[in-house]
Every structure is written in structure tokens, then in C-alpha cells.
Amino acid sequence: MRISTNTIYQSGISKISNLQSEQTKLMQQISTGQRIASPSDDPVGAARALEISHAKSVNSKFADTRQTAQLKLNTLESNLTSVTNMMISIQSSLVSAGNSTYSDLERGFIAADLKTTLDGLVGLANTKDASGNYLYAGFQTDTAPFVANATGAAYVGDSNDQLLQVDAERQMVVNATGDDVFKAGGNDVFATLQNLITLLNTPLTPANQAAFSTGIATGLSSMRQGLDNVLTVRASIGSRLNELDQLDISGSDLDLQYSKSLSEIQDLDYAAALSDLSKNQTIMEAAQKSFVATTNLSLFNFI
């Protein structure tokens, strides 16, 4: 069988070209540290890497959402700590107000102090977060949830829960509404305070002594219930913050697993790649010499 000169050329050039292409691919892999430069290098591996990368990205977004949730809940906890301290102070003032030796003037001083406290409590209830949203307004975050009035303060927010998806299987409430915190179970903290202020500003006589004592006792009981409710809300917030910490730990572990899986699929075995590159260079040098020797063959060489 006769082999034409053109066939010899084409065969040699094709072999060298393939070797050069393989060498370029190896050098690219070594420079990037990635075994898969394009899906065609490993279609199955590339598809799996894409799937894991997507899952890793979703996991990262959940981590960001948990940070937002933690910020919101920590802001609530800080605010409710101030509310708690204020309500404890109110109870202390009410115990003093029940002292039968106090004059109307002294009870008036306590009433004035409670009025200042009531204003401060309404202010805390109308606190905004770092984004300028009202903490206790439900979905009405751009409107102050409480409006002071003659009977204390009216709630104009709603009862909706703000939910954040903090994990694939977990939506978490990250707010507390004003009616749940300050008006739970029909126990209106603001109305109680206003009633006490009115009671303390009323001159005490033998005729209303019993009603006064009953009013102070009722007020103290209502404030204790209000404080218990605030502490219950705080306990719930604490539980959610603890859960977020646990989810962060699980999310970090999952992220490490994803990174390890991606590394196993994508990362290059440098020792093997360098060995292949050296072998490829040796083969290509031999192929180039063989090509030159073959293409120089002619009948004239044998004359």
C-alpha cells in the first residue's frame, strides 16, 4: 500500500497538534489548580460540581439571613431589657405610694414621676431598629405603633409576625408586636399606669382610703403581670437566638462538607499533572523529531 507524502504530513501534524493541545490543557490546569476547566473535561463531574456549588450558595444565603435575624432579635432583647428595668422601677414606686404616711403632695410627686415613666415607656414601645423600622408595629413598620392618649396609649400597629427563612426547613419569627408585649391578655400596661397616675393625683380622704388601697394593689398586680409577660417574650427571644447559634454551627459544618466535596471533584492532583506534563513533553519532542526525520525522507537519500 502506498502512503502519500500529504498523508504523512497530515498524520504527523495531527499527532503533534493533539500533543500540544494536551500540553496546553495540563499547563492551564496547573496554573489554576482546577482539574475541570470546561464541562467537556468531565461532564459528570462538572454537573455534580455545579449542583454542589448551588447548594453551597444557598447555604451561604441562609447564613446571611440568620445574621439579619440575630440583629433583629438582639435589638428586641436590648429594648426589652430597658422595658424590664423601667417596669421594675414602677413597681418600686408603687410600693412607696402605698405608704399611708405620705401626704397628697408626696403622692403627687410619685404621680409626676410615673407620668415621666409612662412617656418613656411609650418611647421604648415606639423604638426603631437600625434600618428605621418600628420594632413593635408588625407589618406597619413605617408607622409608630403607639399613640399616647388620655387613657395611656393606643396601639395602631398590627399583629402580624415577620418571618425569615433561616434554614431550609425553618422559618423564624424575628419580631414581637406591641399588643403581645404591652397589652397581652387584656392587661394594658399603659392604661394601668395612667390609672395609677390619676389615682395618686386624687386627694386622699377617709372616704376613698379603701378605694385607694385597692387601686394601688390592683395596679401592682397588673404591673407584675405585665412584667411577667415581658419576661416571657424575652425568654422566647433567647430561645430563638440559641437556635440561631445552633443553626450557624450546622451551617458552618455543611459549608465545610460542600467545600470538601468540591475540592475532591475540581481540585488538581499536582503530582500527577506535573508527571503527565513531563511525559507529554517527552512524547512531543520525540514526535517532532520523528516528524522531521520522516518528512525529510526521499528516494534521493538512497541514491
Side-chain angles (χ1 to χ4, degrees), residues 113-172:
D113 184 57
L114 289 181
K115 178 62 172 69
T116 300
T117 302
L118 172 59
D119 293 340
L121 198 57
V122 172
L124 286 175
N126 283 334
T127 297
K128 294 180 180 180
D129 63 18
S131 300
N133 298 316
Y134 287 98
L135 290 180
Y136 300 107
F139 285 171
Q140 312 300 317
T141 55
D142 58 348
T143 302
F146 288 96
V147 178
N149 56 26
T151 59
Y155 183 61
V156 296
D158 58 45
S159 301
N160 292 313
D161 291 332
Q162 297 173 15
L163 296 170
L164 287 180
Q165 191 78 34
V166 295
D167 194 57
E169 305 297 330
R170 178 71 165 102
Q171 278 192 331
M172 181 177 287

Side-chain angles (χ1 to χ4, degrees), residues 44 117 146 156 159 164 181 195 202 208 221 236 242 277 282 300:
V44 174
T117 302
F146 288 96
V156 296
S159 301
L164 287 180
V181 176
N195 290 337
T202 302
N208 63 15
S221 177
S236 174
N242 287 336
L277 180 63
T282 300
F300 293 104

Side-chain angles (χ1 to χ4, degrees), residues 248-264:
D248 273 340
I249 292 172
S250 298
S252 295
D253 290 343
L254 192 58
D255 187 69
L256 288 175
Q257 291 176 22
Y258 287 144
S259 295
K260 181 181 178 182
S261 296
L262 280 174
S263 176
E264 291 172 350

Side-chain angles (χ1 to χ4, degrees), residues 271-288:
L274 289 171
S275 176
D276 288 343
L277 180 63
S278 177
K279 181 173 66 176
N280 178 276
Q281 288 173 332
T282 300
I283 294 172
M284 187 166 67
E285 288 172 2
Q288 288 172 335

Side-chain angles (χ1 to χ4, degrees), residues 60-106:
S60 177
K61 289 178 181 177
F62 283 140
D64 292 341
T65 303
R66 286 194 294 273
Q67 285 187 346
T68 300
Q70 287 170 333
L71 177 60
K72 286 180 173 292
L73 291 174
N74 279 321
T75 301
L76 273 176
E77 167 59 23
S78 176
N79 182 269
L80 288 173
T81 298
S82 297
V83 170
T84 298
N85 294 335
M86 194 168 285
M87 294 181 74
I88 291 173
S89 175
I90 291 169
Q91 292 184 46
S92 178
S93 296
L94 290 178
V95 170
S96 298
N99 191 327
S100 59
T101 64
Y102 276 18
S103 65
D104 289 342
L105 180 62
E106 288 171 316

Side-chain angles (χ1 to χ4, degrees), residues 18 48 98 113 137 222 298:
N18 288 338
R48 179 60 180 151
D113 184 57
S222 294
S298 167

